[in-house]
């Protein structure tokens, strides 16, 4: 499958792993405080696309204006079905 880095800033990192039929989005926060990530994702998903959490403490996330905004607890991670 394919691997694409989406976001890397300080203690936060996000990537997409998958192929043409399915993929997952992994977001990690190694920081000591919760972090809100705003990632440009318009190359991967259209506006209105809904991502559902498979693992970790997060709500569903929707792409708005080509951006995905997600809050991740400190020292944790989330895996989304895309």
């Amino acid at each position: 499958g394919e691997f694409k880095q989406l976001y890397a800033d300080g203690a936060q990192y996000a990537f997409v792993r998958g192929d043409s039929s399915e993929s997952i989005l992994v977001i990690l926060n190694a920081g000591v405080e919760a972090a809100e990530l705003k990632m440009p994702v318009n190359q991967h998903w259209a506006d209105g696309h809904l991502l559902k959490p498979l693992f970790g403490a997060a709500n569903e996330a929707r792409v708005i204006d080509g951006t995905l905004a997600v809050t991740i607890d400190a020292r944790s991670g989330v895996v989304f079905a895309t």
Side-chain angles (χ1 to χ4, degrees):
E2 195 171 65
F3 172 89
K4 290 187 179 180
Q5 177 180 309
L6 282 185
Y7 184 90
D9 185 30
Q12 292 78 41
Y13 183 72
F15 64 90
V16 174
R17 176 81 184 178
D19 58 28
S20 61
S21 64
E22 63 183 352
S23 61
I24 60 169
L25 168 62
V26 178
I27 305 173
L28 304 170
N29 179 12
V32 295
E33 296 181 7
E36 183 179 0
L37 284 68
K38 293 183 180 180
M39 302 171 280
V41 296
N42 56 333
Q43 292 183 336
H44 301 280
W45 304 290
D47 281 348
H49 186 86
L50 183 67
L51 286 78
K52 297 184 179 188
L54 295 174
F55 175 82
N59 296 320
E60 293 179 337
R62 188 173 304 276
V63 177
I64 299 172
D65 294 330
T67 301
L68 185 68
V70 180
T71 300
I72 304 296
D73 291 337
R75 299 197 186 273
S76 68
V78 176
V79 177
F80 284 96
T82 64

